[in-house]
Amino acid sequence: MTKPRLLVLSASIGAGHVKAGESLCEAYEESFNGEARHVDFLRYASPIFSHWIEEAYYIMTKHTPSVYKLLYQMADNRFSPAKKSEVLIGLSKYRDLVREFRPHAIISTHFFPAAIVSFMYPHFSVPNGVVLTDYVSHHIWVNPNTQLFFVAHEGMVDELKQLGVDEEKIRVTGIPIRPVFDQEFNRQEMQKKLGLDPNKLTLLVMSGGNAIGPLAEILKALEQFKENFQIFVITGHNQKSFIQLTELFQELNIKGQVLGYVDNVHEYMVAADLLISKAGGLTVTEAITIGLPMAIIQPTPGQEDGNTTFLTKAGSGTYLKSIKELENFISELLANPSMIEQMRQNALKLSKHNATHSILTEIDKLIAEKRR
């Protein structure tokens, strides 16, 4: 019998969807003895349209977040025109891809390809599932011919049921992240490896691959506490932010380092006491898996609002509406160090280890049933 072939479809609107897809493919080939292919389907279907959508997303989330939130809310119904446009854009490309790769199963980590897979199911009855990459459900993920819905936590089961999804289709697995995050680490050893002072508060600031966020304002606000903390700032692929923040570090004489894109971000997360960041689904998942408390600033309206609410209700994160609130929170942490440990324990209670393996196990069951 030939190796099972898994097709994973994502879209590069936000880095999390692609990262989740890559993790699934890597694990499927390493642990399930299958052949996997990951396709950024939006770029595959229409590079020009993909570029336009990606640019529009970053412009709206940075400059007009209220507009993005309105569009997000308008799309949260079963008659949303967004689904119709998704299907029309990708039909012919999807047909070509399925005929060429002949997958035994398909997983979508973005709602754009998920809608197409469902629409084309009567013509290509390939077992399929979707991975919701946030901590809140939304109608745009719900399609009639999706066979399995993989969600981050138990509360999303009722949310999806209210959107018309049969409970038997829902699996609470967690969100797939790189296997390295599921390993056990020693914080003290990691801090030593990174040259950190174990007696000082260690802060990690991230704003995603495009460095959206008030990084300079955060550093200026934290200057008053610089004798009490050490800090890493990760700017991702944004070279302009990297240069500007490096200069600001030198000006403020802050102990720490500005980093660009790193492939060992888990090491910095293990060593840190607090992550100051937006609330992307993959970032949240990585943080709670490691047990890293979060201070959330400027979450993207819509899905990140839901992620923020999830963390704050569980006591593993706090939502800071302004730079002044950040100053107050850091001051409180320095006065009450036990707060960090409590938030850390709350985060660990939320974690769902080996989500990638759990998802692929369920998909393998679908493949086995189809092959009988």
Side-chain angles (χ1 to χ4, degrees):
M1 185 177 291
T2 59
K3 281 186 176 182
R5 292 181 296 276
L6 175 66
L7 179 61
V8 180
L9 303 176
S10 67
S12 51
I13 304 174
H17 305 288
V18 172
K19 288 168 64 178
E22 291 171 344
S23 296
L24 289 165
C25 282
E26 180 182 344
Y28 196 67
E29 294 195 333
E30 288 185 359
S31 303
F32 287 79
N33 193 34
E35 180 182 354
R37 180 184 296 185
H38 171 250
V39 177
D40 181 339
F41 193 74
L42 188 56
R43 290 183 178 178
Y44 174 81
S46 176
I48 295 175
F49 182 73
S50 175
H51 176 74
W52 182 82
I53 288 291
E54 291 170 41
E55 288 296 311
Y57 173 78
Y58 290 118
I59 289 171
M60 281 193 293
T61 54
K62 184 174 183 179
H63 299 292
T64 58
S66 59
V67 174
Y68 177 82
K69 184 173 184 177
L70 177 62
L71 293 174
Y72 178 87
Q73 292 171 338
M74 289 173 61
D76 196 12
N77 69 82
R78 69 176 62 190
F79 304 109
S80 169
K83 288 187 178 181
K84 295 179 181 178
S85 62
E86 290 160 10
V87 169
L88 291 174
I89 291 166
L91 284 183
S92 62
K93 285 288 190 177
Y94 176 77
R95 187 182 299 112
D96 294 343
L97 180 60
V98 172
R99 285 174 174 168
E100 183 264 323
F101 186 59
R102 295 180 295 115
H104 294 97
I106 301 173
I107 301 176
S108 299
T109 63
H110 190 275
F111 52 79
F112 168 67
I116 298 172
V117 173
S118 175
F119 183 82
M120 293 296 286
Y121 187 79
H123 306 283
F124 300 98
S125 56
V126 182
N128 68 90
V130 299
V131 178
L132 280 70
T133 51
D134 289 294
Y135 287 77
V136 62
S137 302
H138 191 283
H139 231 125
I140 205 164
W141 286 95
V142 178
N143 297 285
N145 292 316
T146 299
Q147 292 170 284
L148 289 176
F149 294 80
F150 301 104
V151 299
H153 63 94
E154 288 76 6
M156 294 177 70
V157 175
D158 285 337
E159 292 175 1
L160 281 178
K161 286 168 63 178
Q162 291 174 13
L163 298 179
V165 178
D166 292 336
E167 186 170 357
E168 63 184 21
K169 291 185 174 183
I170 307 170
R171 302 289 186 273
V172 182
T173 57
I175 296 174
I177 52 178
R178 288 188 298 150
V180 67
F181 283 92
D182 285 311
Q183 298 177 13
E184 290 189 11
F185 295 97
N186 183 293
R187 277 192 72 244
Q188 287 71 33
E189 290 181 2
M190 193 63 73
Q191 288 182 329
K192 184 177 180 180
K193 176 181 178 180
L194 296 176
L196 296 170
D197 182 346
N199 298 313
K200 288 190 175 183
L201 183 70
T202 302
L203 305 178
L204 175 62
V205 181
M206 299 194 304
S207 281
N210 287 269
I212 299 173
L215 297 183
E217 291 87 344
I218 288 172
L219 291 180
K220 291 175 182 177
L222 293 176
E223 181 188 13
Q224 61 187 293
F225 307 108
K226 66 182 180 181
E227 299 303 321
N228 303 103
F229 74 83
Q230 52 210 339
I231 185 169
F232 289 106
V233 179
I234 298 178
T235 64
H237 293 288
N238 193 316
Q239 186 66 16
K240 181 179 179 181
S241 288
F242 174 78
I243 294 171
Q244 291 176 342
L245 293 173
T246 299
E247 293 174 352
L248 184 59
F249 247 62
Q250 295 170 350
E251 177 187 329
L252 299 178
N253 194 27
I254 292 175
K255 178 177 173 57
Q257 187 178 1
V258 179
L259 303 161
Y261 175 79
V262 297
D263 57 11
N264 63 331
V265 67
H266 62 283
E267 295 187 351
Y268 295 96
M269 295 178 79
V270 168
D273 293 302
L274 179 71
L275 171 61
I276 302 172
S277 175
K278 287 158 51 63
L282 270 287
T283 299
V284 168
T285 304
E286 292 167 352
I288 63 178
T289 301
I290 283 175
L292 176 59
M294 290 187 68
I296 300 162
I297 291 185
Q298 291 190 353
T300 299
Q303 70 273 19
E304 289 192 16
D305 286 339
N307 298 343
T308 301
T309 299
F310 174 75
L311 287 178
T312 54
K313 281 186 175 180
S316 64
T318 185
Y319 172 37
L320 305 174
K321 300 181 179 67
S322 66
I323 295 297
K324 182 61 179 177
E325 287 193 7
L326 171 63
E327 294 176 5
N328 293 339
F329 182 65
I330 296 298
S331 180
E332 188 177 3
L333 286 183
L334 292 172
N336 302 282
S338 61
M339 286 177 58
I340 286 289
E341 184 56 32
Q342 184 58 60
M343 293 177 73
R344 189 183 300 280
Q345 293 305 316
N346 291 340
L348 289 172
K349 291 176 184 177
L350 301 175
S351 63
K352 295 192 180 301
H353 287 273
N354 301 310
T356 303
H357 188 275
S358 298
I359 291 168
L360 293 174
T361 297
E362 292 292 334
I363 288 295
D364 244 16
K365 291 178 184 177
L366 287 184
I367 294 175
E369 291 173 6
K370 180 75 172 181
R371 282 181 149 187
R372 285 176 188 167

